[in-house]
Structures are given as C-alpha cells and as structure tokens.
Amino acid sequence: MNDKLKTKSLFVSIVGRPNVGKSSILNMIVGSKVSIVSSKPQTTRDRITGIITQGDTQLVFIDTPGIHKPFSRLGNYMISEIDNSLSGIEACLHVVEALKEPSSLDLNLIEKFKKLNLKTILAINKIDLVKNKAFLMEQIKSFSSLFNYDAIVPISTLSNDGKNDLIAEMKALASPSVFFFSNEDFTDQSERRLASEIIREKLLWFLDEELPHGTAIQVESFKQLSNLKVSIHAVIYCERSSHKAMIIGAGGQMIKKVGIASRRSIEELLGCEVNLNLFVKVKKDWRNKPALLHELGYC
Ligand SMILES: Nc1nc2c(ncn2[C@@H]2O[C@H](COP(=O)(O)OP(=O)(O)OP(=O)(O)O)[C@@H](O)[C@H]2O)c(=O)[nH]1
Ligand SMILES: [Mg+2]
C-alpha cells in the first residue's frame, strides 16, 4: 500500500544539551517563531512541534528541553518530555555547539540512539563563532568516531548557514506516508499557548539568572475583539513575594518592559493589535507541587 503513496514524512526529535540552539534551529527551519529562545539554559520546558511541508515531503520536528540533572518536579517533567519525544519517533537531530567536545550527556544520548536504532543527524551549531575551520574538522572526526550518524551538518542559526543542507539531509530520511498536518500548518500549538510562551521568554530575557526559572504563565482570557484586535489577560506566577516585587520592579518598570516586549512579539505573531494585561501572583514552591504543575500545564 505504501508503494502507492506519493507523499513522504519524517518525525524528528531535536535533542541535546541546554543552550546549544535547539529551539533556534527549529525556528530557522520552520521560518517562524514556534519555540522561545534565550541565553539562559533550560528555556524550553515541554515538547514543541514545528512543521514544514516542501513538495511531496512533510517534516515534523519536536523541540525538547535541554538534557540536565533535574532538581525539582518540574525538572523531572522536563526530562520525561525528552524521553517521551523519542518514543515512536523515527529520527533525531542531535544538536551540539561548535568547538565543544562530546560531553557525558552527549554520550548518554548516543547510547539511546543506538538502543532505539534511530536515524540520526548531527547538527554542529554556532559555526559563526569558529575562526579556524580545522578545529571544526577535528570535532566532526571526534563525533564520527562515536557514532555512525546519517549525516553531519555544520550550521549557524545566526547566519542561516547550513539550513538548506540540513533540510535536504532530513528529507532524504523521509519515508512514504500520508501527511499528518495540512500544508500550511507550522505548529500544533494554540495561539494562547504561543502567547504564554512569548511572555515567559521576555521574563527570561529581562530578569536575573534564576528568577525566571521559577515563573509560569497562565493565559486566563484570550478574546478576539475584532479581526484587528485581540485582548489577552495573563498571570505570571512566581514562587515568593520577594520575586513578585522584582518582577514588578521599582515603580512598575520591569513589568512594563516585559509587557511592551511581549505585546510587540504577540502582535507580530498574530498580525493584529493586542491589548495585553499582565498580573503577578505568588504560588509558593509550585515547581515541586504536582497539583500546581498540572494546573499550570506541565502534565
Ligand atoms: N552565536 C550563535 N548563537 C546562537 C546560535 N544559535 C543559537 N544561538 C544562541 O544560543 C542561545 C540558546 O539558544 P536556544 O535556541 O534557546 O537553545 P536551546 O538549545 O533551545 O536551549 P534550551 O531550551 O535551554 O535547552 C541563545 O542565546 C541563542 O541566541 C548560532 O548559530 N550562533
Ligand atoms: Mg530550547
């Protein structure tokens, strides 16, 4: 029956250490911002789907949290999201940073690829930072000696270098199948969910190191007022009153900054005017309370 199919597809899980650029790669491939990006490790918390359809081939990507040692129930959930992303998957995109030696986390991943017999492509990201290409060749040799990757592609999401090669290599791994999404789909996330992630991204951008890791966003209402206007009410939950004060900032400066940047990004995404109202509330130790994690969408 498959012989008769004229279309092909491939489900690809994007895995690697935190901060190597997994979400940036997904956005580059899909050509739209479906997964938030920041310079802080552990930005991505759940599986995020991004889709591209080119000609007879559909590629479905699952961005995952970076692999790390969990210190909370939320951390355990993030790690389980990586394993869940690998079940029933056909292929993996293993992302590493240019000039970095394979770490123990990379070695653990390679063991998983072998065990699950997955087709795997290695993307060496951030090659814009490489001055001497000879080092890159050394890195390619080092990873090739560990695992027989289907392809190794040096890329930079900053300059878009290697984008077409990466897509071509993944298309080559696709097999006959129906399309699982329509040709125009680029993600399966709702607009509500995309908006809440954008707010979390701005908190990661503007707040100091650990604080944004203790925040979660709940969009309480998302109303289409007309074709040209949407009204959104969202709550930023944090773990302590002292954190609430920092998120609001002196004279409300910080929340205003987060609000303006979030509104602009959401307007770009939705292509219409947005009224964004943000509130800050405390939910003590929510990262360790199963009921609260569930309520905030981490389940
Ligand atoms: N110089 C350079 N920086 C990059 C490149 N790609 C991503 N970055 C930066 O790397 C940082 C991490 O990017 P993300 O895409 O959030 O990384 P991630 O692997 O998804 O991170 P987690 O979700 O935390 O696991 C951000 O500051 C990006 O701007 C690149 O090609 N070159
Ligand atoms: Mg990410």
Side-chain angles (χ1 to χ4, degrees):
M1 181 193 164
N2 274 356
D3 293 346
K4 290 185 188 144
L5 280 172
K6 292 198 169 65
T7 52
K8 292 183 281 180
S9 79
L10 185 74
F11 278 71
V12 186
S13 182
I14 308 178
V15 292
R17 293 164 61 191
N19 219 36
V20 291
K22 298 177 296 300
S23 303
S24 305
I25 292 174
L26 178 67
N27 295 338
M28 176 185 77
I29 293 172
V30 170
S32 189
K33 182 157 181 140
V34 293
S35 193
I36 62 170
V37 167
S38 91
S39 58
K40 294 191 176 74
Q42 292 167 43
T43 294
T44 305
R45 282 181 179 167
D46 345 63
R47 286 172 283 165
I48 308 276
T49 305
I51 305 138
I52 52 162
T53 307
Q54 289 187 350
D56 64 354
T57 309
Q58 184 162 80
L59 302 174
V60 181
F61 296 92
I62 296 130
D63 185 17
T64 65
I67 296 171
H68 60 283
K69 290 199 177 72
F71 291 105
S72 64
R73 279 181 187 266
L74 175 66
N76 292 340
Y77 166 79
M78 288 161 69
I79 294 298
S80 74
E81 284 289 87
I82 304 168
D83 283 336
N84 290 341
S85 86
L86 293 176
S87 82
I89 211 86
E90 303 156 275
C92 265
L93 181 63
H94 180 193
V95 183
V96 297
E97 264 179 6
L99 307 181
K100 295 266 168 76
E101 288 293 316
S103 70
S104 58
L105 295 173
D106 290 312
L107 298 178
N108 286 346
L109 267 177
I110 288 173
E111 284 312 307
K112 278 196 180 139
F113 302 151
K114 287 180 183 164
K115 210 161 121 193
L116 296 168
N117 200 19
L118 293 167
K119 300 171 190 173
T120 307
I121 292 174
L122 180 72
I124 302 182
N125 189 28
K126 309 194 185 184
I127 56 163
D128 53 285
L129 301 174
V130 179
K131 300 281 175 287
N132 184 344
K133 300 291 174 207
F135 289 126
L136 203 53
M137 294 314 294
E138 280 305 309
Q139 189 179 13
I140 291 174
K141 258 198 220 157
S142 163
F143 273 93
S144 315
S145 70
L146 294 170
F147 185 61
N148 189 16
Y149 288 98
D150 289 275
I152 297 182
V153 189
I155 60 162
S156 165
T157 69
L158 216 62
S159 60
N160 267 356
D161 268 341
K163 174 184 166 183
N164 293 337
D165 292 342
L166 190 58
I167 294 175
E169 292 291 355
M170 281 180 294
K171 282 170 89 172
L173 298 180
S175 49
S177 136
V178 293
F179 281 177
F180 295 90
F181 297 91
S182 79
N183 288 20
E184 301 77 39
D185 286 344
F186 59 91
T187 186
D188 63 352
Q189 297 172 92
S190 65
E191 289 177 336
R192 214 181 166 104
R193 160 93 178 131
L194 287 163
S196 82
E197 281 288 273
I198 284 173
I199 299 164
R200 199 165 64 76
E201 179 184 67
K202 304 314 173 206
L203 293 169
L204 281 156
W205 285 8
F206 299 136
L207 291 168
D208 285 338
E209 283 304 313
E210 278 306 306
L211 211 166
H213 289 308
T215 61
I217 315 299
Q218 203 165 45
V219 171
E220 292 201 319
S221 83
F222 187 109
K223 284 194 194 126
Q224 187 92 39
L225 300 179
S226 69
N227 280 345
L228 302 173
K229 203 165 189 175
V230 164
S231 168
I232 301 172
H233 288 243
V235 179
I236 299 169
Y237 286 105
C238 59
E239 293 181 308
R240 291 187 210 156
S241 334
S242 58
H243 292 172
K244 177 174 172 175
M246 282 188 258
I247 294 170
I248 292 171
Q253 284 296 324
M254 180 55 82
I255 193 72
K256 195 169 165 197
K257 195 161 130 181
V258 168
I260 292 171
S262 303
R263 178 176 53 74
R264 287 196 182 129
S265 288
I266 299 169
E267 283 181 338
E268 205 175 303
L269 175 88
L270 302 179
C272 68
E273 196 185 322
V274 170
N275 273 348
L276 177 64
N277 293 294
L278 294 178
F279 307 90
V280 187
K281 292 184 185 171
V282 178
K283 268 194 201 290
K284 277 202 179 108
D285 200 26
W286 66 265
R287 277 188 283 182
N288 279 310
K289 296 196 171 139
L292 292 181
L293 280 167
H294 193 270
E295 194 182 313
L296 292 168
Y298 300 112
C299 52

